[in-house]
Amino acid sequence: MENWEHRLASYYGKRMELIIEDYAGSDPLAPPASRPLHHVMLAHEGTHLQFYFNEKQFLAIPVYDDDRTRLQEAEQGTVFTSEDTAAKLIYTVRFLL
């Protein structure tokens, strides 16, 4: 499994924009939320990556060993994406420049 904690450590302290998209169409797209990244930690089960906003609050995003979870460079900055096909959700974390 990818070492996401190590790969994302350079973004600690930076602002990130969080977007959760429901591609099943049952829920509308929520407005993006902007938060600082305090740190990331892989959950004990190894199935979710926890993006911490401070010492206690986090968003858990599922991670996969295939191309459903990826980190890419884009014009707007670096983007972490994970597609939960079972729940029909796409999680996007855009690190703001």
Side-chain angles (χ1 to χ4, degrees):
M1 173 161 282
E2 184 79 37
N3 186 341
W4 290 111
E5 293 171 334
H6 177 73
R7 285 195 67 192
L8 295 170
S10 63
Y11 298 99
Y12 291 3
K14 299 199 188 240
R15 293 216 51 93
M16 59 182 171
E17 183 178 67
L18 305 165
I19 302 165
I20 302 172
E21 183 179 355
D22 176 3
Y23 64 87
S26 58
D27 287 325
L29 180 65
S34 177
R35 302 272 190 277
L37 177 61
H38 190 272
H39 69 280
V40 296
M41 186 170 73
L42 188 63
H44 295 290
E45 304 81 24
T47 59
H48 289 75
L49 191 60
Q50 299 167 332
F51 285 77
Y52 280 81
F53 315 133
N54 55 42
E55 286 292 325
K56 297 184 185 208
Q57 295 177 312
F58 64 88
L59 172 66
I61 297 177
V63 290
Y64 304 97
D65 285 333
D66 56 27
D67 64 351
R68 289 178 289 171
T69 301
R70 58 197 175 275
L71 187 65
Q72 300 172 303
E73 294 297 325
E75 282 186 29
Q76 307 87 355
T78 303
V79 179
F80 173 89
T81 305
S82 193
E83 298 178 34
D84 184 345
T85 52
K88 298 196 182 319
L89 295 173
I90 299 173
Y91 297 86
T92 302
V93 179
R94 181 175 292 119
F95 296 99
L96 305 174
L97 299 175

